[in-house]
Amino acid sequence: MAEPGRIAIVTDDPGWHGARLQQAFAARGFGCTYVSLSRCRLNLEDPALPLHLPGFSGRLPEGVFVRGIPGGSLEQVTFYLDILHGLTLLGVPVYNDARAIERTVDKGMTSFLLQRAGIPTPPTWVLGDPEAAMEIARRELAAGHRLVSKPLFGSQGTGLQRHDCPEDLVNLTPTNGIYYLQRYVCSDDDAPHDWRVFVIRGRTVAAMRRCGVTWLNNVAQGARCEPARLDDILLCRLAEDAARTLDIAYAGVDIIRDQHGRYTVLEVNSVPAWKGLQSVSEVVIAELLADDFLARCQRLESARCTAT
């Protein structure tokens, strides 16, 4: 029987993903405790144990697998990331760690880092000035491009809008005072699609083609999942390069191919769901994640033992 509570799975809603991870860890002899970051606390009166996680009284977990970050105010989200940063500083393996989450939950920084590294990604503008945002949008439309506006923080296609003509710009509004504008990449107007590529430790392990019922190809928005072979070297290499650029242990990389056959990275997700991907994949993704996570924990433990 697996020893209970040795690994923390950070989530407010374990659901399907939490159950699959728990099964994978249990099969490897590790018990899990689900932990909400909203119930964690800094306990700085105790220098020996300055962080408290529910379910880990008087100790820290052997590792932390991040399955979800709660939403909230700037102060709340900063605090949640402080907990993850603190765990890393205390020598607890965190997967993905706070630095990787910060680089990817913020779409603006993701786009910035991809562009700087020479990774193909659509032209993007992030700003707070309404007049400048409208000027950019009008210029893009006048040049024959369509434009997508997105929340800077968000997932699953929520809050995305496409602007095809000047009349659509009446709907161009900021989210919490910030505009994130991106040139729309058209794969096929009649059959929109893109790819979700799952990368673990720099290697593509699974991929699917997502076929949208609208221009949005997110599974949460009703897209159909189709299996994708991993012999497309350009697709896999681009996903792996994007994950490496963002220095992330595991990632779901969203890639689209334009009508000229050119691939471009749309987003990189540091807490990716994989239920849809698992439905069309032969590999068991939770088991691959558990194996890589436990190997990381063992490497860190060996390094600590060597240092002492």
Side-chain angles (χ1 to χ4, degrees), residues 37-269:
L37 288 175
S38 64
R39 297 185 59 220
C40 297
R41 64 176 182 263
L42 296 176
N43 184 27
L44 302 183
E45 68 177 351
D46 182 359
L49 192 66
L51 290 176
H52 171 79
L53 277 64
F56 293 90
S57 179
R59 63 191 175 101
L60 292 173
E62 295 185 19
V64 174
F65 191 109
V66 181
R67 210 5 259 156
I69 302 288
S73 66
L74 176 60
E75 290 84 355
Q76 287 173 311
V77 174
T78 299
F79 168 67
Y80 302 149
L81 291 170
D82 285 346
I83 295 293
L84 299 182
H85 278 300
L87 287 163
T88 297
L89 290 170
L90 292 172
V92 178
V94 180
Y95 187 93
N96 281 308
D97 66 20
R99 293 185 310 113
I101 292 170
E102 287 169 345
R103 286 190 292 266
T104 54
V105 74
D106 173 359
K107 291 184 177 67
M109 181 52 63
T110 302
S111 296
F112 178 78
L113 293 172
L114 292 173
Q115 191 269 346
R116 282 204 70 198
I119 305 290
T121 195
T124 300
W125 301 263
V126 185
L127 67 163
D129 184 337
E131 292 183 6
M134 192 63 69
E135 180 183 347
I136 290 167
R138 292 194 186 103
R139 187 185 71 215
E140 283 291 292
L141 293 177
H145 304 298
R146 288 177 278 182
L147 197 67
V148 175
S149 57
K150 308 179 185 182
L152 191 62
F153 305 134
S155 62
Q156 299 185 329
T158 303
L160 272 68
Q161 292 186 325
R162 194 178 76 185
H163 310 279
D164 297 342
C165 60
E167 289 73 22
D168 291 340
L169 297 183
V170 68
N171 299 316
L172 182 62
T173 56
T175 302
N176 294 322
I178 296 297
Y179 296 87
Y180 177 96
L181 309 176
Q182 193 169 73
R183 185 176 296 171
Y184 176 65
V185 179
C186 179
S187 58
D188 185 334
D189 274 329
D190 296 324
H193 62 275
D194 66 9
W195 283 266
R196 162 60 64 86
V197 183
F198 210 91
V199 178
I200 300 178
R201 199 61 60 184
R203 182 175 67 89
T204 299
V205 299
M208 67 175 171
R209 178 168 140 147
R210 307 185 300 184
C211 303
V213 293
T214 67
W215 64 275
L216 291 170
N217 297 309
N218 304 78
V219 174
Q221 301 293 330
R224 183 179 73 256
C225 304
E226 295 181 350
R229 296 174 58 181
L230 301 186
D231 57 359
D232 187 332
I233 295 174
L234 291 178
L235 179 72
C236 294
R237 183 177 296 164
L238 182 58
E240 292 162 3
D241 287 346
R244 189 176 303 110
T245 293
L246 295 169
D247 191 19
I248 191 167
Y250 76 98
V253 184
D254 296 341
I255 297 176
I256 196 166
R257 185 168 59 195
D258 67 18
Q259 293 176 319
H260 303 287
R262 297 172 298 205
Y263 284 126
T264 187
V265 176
L266 296 176
E267 292 185 12
V268 180
N269 303 275

